[in-house]
Amino acid sequence: MTKTEQNLLEAFAGESQANRRYLAFAKRAEKEGYSQVAKLFRAVAEAETVHALTHLRVLGQVKSTAENLGAAIEGETHEFTSMYPDMIDTAKEEGNKAAELAFSYANHVEKVHADLYQKALDNMEALEETDYYVCSVCGYTCENGPPDRCPVCGAKSQAFFKVD
Ligand code: FE2
Ligand code: FE2
Ligand code: FE2
């Protein structure tokens, strides 16, 4: 990998993080009554997304949908088989309960993501039409309407939002 390719990767990571950080800041600003500041955070967050997507495209990491599903399965699988289990162990050792819970929610959900992507890859040409629902507490993702209780975090069905 060339230095510029490394830089693109690094810039992609930074811009992606800036996007989510500004959206979190916007929510807080909204809560504190600063709706114009919230709007500014949301606008700049969108701009950081433009930068992030451009860097990723220049890197050549957006391929055919079949290849992208494969890359997504690989990424999710790495997270639930290696990355999060190690992070959970360390959080336990360090007595950081909040981090342990955050990692463990994500760990469960990444497995679900890998399965959903695998199903999509296996049925790409005839994937049944459905909406997806996401738990706003833990990120659990499912098809065909929210469950009464989230199987990962126990949240009620009202905690789910629909993704068209
Ligand atoms: Fe930027
Ligand atoms: Fe995931
Ligand atoms: Fe949940």
Side-chain angles (χ1 to χ4, degrees), residues 3 96 146 155:
K3 179 67 184 160
N96 190 332

Side-chain angles (χ1 to χ4, degrees), residues 105 134-140 153 155 159:
Y105 280 167
V134 175
C135 175
S136 60
V137 177
C138 73
Y140 174 71
C153 75

Side-chain angles (χ1 to χ4, degrees), residues 76 79 106 109-110 113 117:
E76 301 285 347
E79 289 173 357
V109 173
E110 310 313 2
H113 291 167
Y117 281 144

Side-chain angles (χ1 to χ4, degrees), residues 76-77 79-80 106-117:
E76 301 285 347
T77 302
E79 289 173 357
F80 77 80
N107 191 46
H108 281 98
V109 173
E110 310 313 2
K111 166 90 175 89
V112 175
H113 291 167
D115 291 345
L116 286 167
Y117 281 144

Side-chain angles (χ1 to χ4, degrees), residues 15 18 44 47-48 51-52 55:
E15 298 282 3
V44 178
E48 308 309 9
H51 297 160
H55 299 337

